[in-house]
Amino acid sequence: PKILGQKGLNKIWILVASTQVPLPLLQGWVMFVAVTAWFLSVVFLCVFLFGYANRIAVNWNQTDFLFHGVTFVFYFGAFLLQAATTSLHYFPRKFNSTTQEKLLADHEYNISIAASIFAFATAVCYGCSTALALRRWRL
């Protein structure tokens, strides 16, 4: 399979992991999608590099299409959740009655913006790869 989004997904989980993760439910999904997609991409790469694709009776064009299609949907959802987390930058987090702090510090806000951009770029790459896989599978 074509691995178009490989570099982008590495950047996403590195960027999310470098923050304090103020909303674990949202950013946990982003991390799950990025790490799972990376792992499955490496598995597919190894299957093809070591010649197992010739030994396993599977329609690899259909498998490629399904993998990239599901990954595209998951990455687009991860992009939306990461962007939602980024949009809460000015939302106050109350520690006690006398102090208020922003949900995301300025540095974390900048990292979250970068993670959102890379998530979107990776979703676009997986979308393009899905379209190419569909074309290859159906022709």
Side-chain angles (χ1 to χ4, degrees), residues 16 35 53 101:
V16 171
V35 172
E101 186 178 319

Side-chain angles (χ1 to χ4, degrees), residues 8-18 30-31 34-35 38 75:
L9 64 93
N10 289 334
K11 288 179 176 68
I12 294 165
W13 67 264
I14 289 169
L15 288 167
V16 171
S18 68
V30 174
M31 290 291 291
V35 172
W38 176 82
Y75 253 109

